[in-house]
Amino acid sequence: MVTGAHDPGAAERLADARDGVVRHDPDLIYLDGNSLGMLPAATVDRLRHVVEQEWGGEQVRGWQHWADLPAAVGDRLGAALLGAAAGQTVVCDSISLNLFKLAHAAVTHVRATRPDRTVIVTDAGNFPSDRYVLQAVADQTGATVRWVDADAPYGITPERLAAALEPGDVAVVSLQLVDYRSGALLDLAATTRQVHDAGALALWELAHAAGAVPVALDDAGADLAVGCTYKYLNAGPGAPGFLYVNAALVDDLVSPIPGWWGAADPFAMDQPYEPARGAMRFLAGSPPVLGLAAVDEGVRQLAEVGIDALREASRHLTDHLVDLADAWLADLGFTVASPRDSAHRGGHVVLAHPEAYRIGRALVARGVIGDVRPPDLLRLAPVPLATTHDDVEEGMRRLRDLVTAGEHLALDPARDRVT
């Protein structure tokens, strides 16, 4: 597999990073890094140190340096993976909570000066939490949501977005940079310009983008962004999310959750509330120290390899998967439901099949981990830190063989609670 063709050291760094991932079963092929990243061995050591030496040894005195973690880890994340200058990114809360905070603040800000801007635009097939949150923000701010149908498999096209923006009443546009279903990758800079030209703010959801594709928030002029860290950033189940607020906008926004950690001086216990300067004003409760340490290690690992090298490796892996799907699976009822050109695709490939759910379960029994999304989608993410070219080939071979043998047909079609 070619990796880092323009960076002679990229392949070696990537190999070292793969060796630094915890693996209990060497025969397992992991193709689900877009749901939960694998555990870096360095994170085990880091968490042990935080628990035993910092929590165990420093006790409450640890807050003298723990208090800096949301901004410090956010700055490292911003610099390494988001194209964000210091002071604009903080790691905190969950992606859903951060989306609520930023969407609510943005709509309120826009409507304070332009009361005719009453609409939030988003993808009708957006991730459920995003849809629920944006509808709640609309309900609470007196706005409405305008749902835009994606053009499968390419996501929200400029033409469909233009139609949604045309009435001139939009306050905020919130879109996924990488579609969680199809893997479609939007053009961050061009779409942001289109939103700005229509007089609205651009709020990007980076759950399937951060750590998978290069992101340049500052260069694109993005206003706001949110993301999670448990997918491509390998920070672990339930790890905290992050938020980004452009420095030119942040001091005009008011968080709808004015928690004490978002105050100018949390330990002054001042009344009334005075927000902190910059993105720190969007903190709420006490920072999750263990989760922040895990995010820090995940970011460090990716930064050492380099996002450009990771992206190039990912494109080769997913291209190989698509080629094998065409060669081996088309006659078995599978269709590729992602963009075929990797320039327009994130880090995962989606295969559609009427029996996707049972096939996905049978694939796990064959030692290949992917996931499924209703009604008929099998998602496969050959993440460079977990997967090699040979892994992709073996995983697709197992998939072909189990469907050819009809192994999935013996399984109960009833869905498990978690898929």
Side-chain angles (χ1 to χ4, degrees):
M1 180 182 71
V2 178
T3 58
H6 305 295
D7 180 355
E12 183 177 351
R13 295 197 305 275
L14 184 53
D16 289 343
R18 283 201 192 106
D19 289 341
V21 171
V22 174
R23 299 176 190 272
H24 293 294
D25 181 357
D27 294 325
L28 181 72
I29 295 174
Y30 196 70
L31 301 177
D32 204 17
N34 62 318
S35 287
L36 178 66
M38 293 186 73
L39 171 63
T43 301
V44 178
D45 296 334
R46 175 71 178 274
L47 291 178
R48 181 179 293 114
H49 176 82
V50 174
V51 170
E52 295 180 354
Q53 304 301 319
E54 296 181 22
W55 180 12
E58 298 177 43
Q59 292 94 32
V60 74
R61 293 168 293 181
W63 281 110
Q64 295 295 332
H65 56 92
W66 294 335
D68 298 327
L69 286 173
V73 178
D75 284 347
R76 283 191 280 276
L77 168 59
L81 302 174
L82 304 181
Q88 300 175 106
T89 307
V90 292
V91 179
C92 60
D93 300 317
S94 69
I95 183 172
S96 296
L97 184 53
N98 289 332
L99 179 64
F100 172 79
K101 289 185 290 187
L102 294 192
H104 194 290
V107 171
T108 301
H109 167 66
V110 171
R111 296 202 64 197
T113 56
R114 292 175 288 172
D116 58 323
R117 296 276 176 166
T118 60
V119 173
I120 301 169
V121 167
T122 196
D123 180 354
N126 205 341
F127 191 75
S129 283
D130 293 15
R131 289 186 278 113
Y132 305 157
V133 166
L134 293 172
Q135 184 62 64
V137 168
D139 293 343
Q140 293 174 26
T141 60
T144 58
V145 179
R146 182 169 296 147
W147 307 99
V148 182
D149 291 326
D151 183 9
Y154 298 102
I156 301 299
T157 61
E159 295 75 20
R160 295 196 179 194
L161 180 58
L165 293 168
E166 194 275 332
D169 56 0
V170 177
V172 175
V173 175
S174 180
L175 298 174
Q176 306 166 90
L177 184 56
V178 174
D179 190 295
Y180 86 98
R181 300 153 303 173
S182 70
L185 170 64
L186 299 186
D187 186 322
L188 175 66
T191 307
T192 299
R193 284 195 301 271
Q194 186 178 6
V195 170
H196 287 172
D197 288 346
L201 296 178
L203 196 174
W204 287 98
E205 197 257 55
L206 306 178
H208 286 79
V213 299
V215 177
L217 292 172
D218 286 354
D219 287 348
D223 302 298
L224 307 156
V226 298
C228 60
T229 64
Y230 46 80
K231 299 181 187 293
Y232 294 101
L233 273 61
N234 304 320
F242 64 85
L243 62 85
Y244 161 93
V245 188
N246 192 293
L249 177 66
V250 65
D251 289 330
D252 294 328
L253 300 182
V254 177
S255 175
I257 307 176
W260 73 308
W261 276 92
D265 183 354
F267 289 91
M269 310 296 177
D270 284 346
Q271 291 289 344
Y273 171 81
E274 179 184 351
R277 299 286 295 178
M280 289 287 285
R281 67 179 50 202
F282 283 99
L283 297 183
S286 300
V289 173
L290 299 180
L292 284 161
V295 175
D296 206 16
E297 288 303 315
V299 170
R300 180 197 59 75
Q301 183 187 51
L302 297 182
E304 287 179 353
V305 178
I307 188 60
D308 291 332
L310 289 165
R311 172 60 172 162
E312 185 169 1
S314 173
R315 289 181 66 172
H316 282 283
L317 291 169
T318 55
D319 280 343
H320 188 44
L321 194 155
V322 170
D323 289 343
L324 292 173
D326 289 339
W328 291 354
L329 302 179
D331 291 341
L332 297 175
F334 287 89
T335 57
V336 176
S338 294
R340 289 181 169 274
D341 183 349
S342 60
H344 300 291
R345 188 176 64 231
H348 66 279
V349 174
V350 180
L351 304 178
H353 191 284
E355 286 286 351
Y357 177 67
R358 288 201 287 184
I359 290 171
R361 289 178 57 200
L363 191 60
V364 172
R366 280 266 192 159
V368 182
I369 307 297
D371 70 13
V372 296
R373 290 293 179 264
D376 60 355
L377 303 179
L378 176 65
R379 299 194 308 176
L380 302 172
V383 180
L385 292 184
T387 318
T388 66
H389 187 275
D390 290 342
D391 290 334
V392 169
E393 194 150 324
E394 177 59 23
M396 294 295 280
R397 182 178 291 108
R398 295 181 195 179
L399 174 57
R400 178 196 63 188
D401 292 350
L402 78 86
V403 176
T404 300
E407 294 173 14
H408 59 291
L409 299 177
L411 300 179
D412 187 342
R415 295 186 184 276
D416 291 335
R417 182 168 181 267
V418 177
T419 60

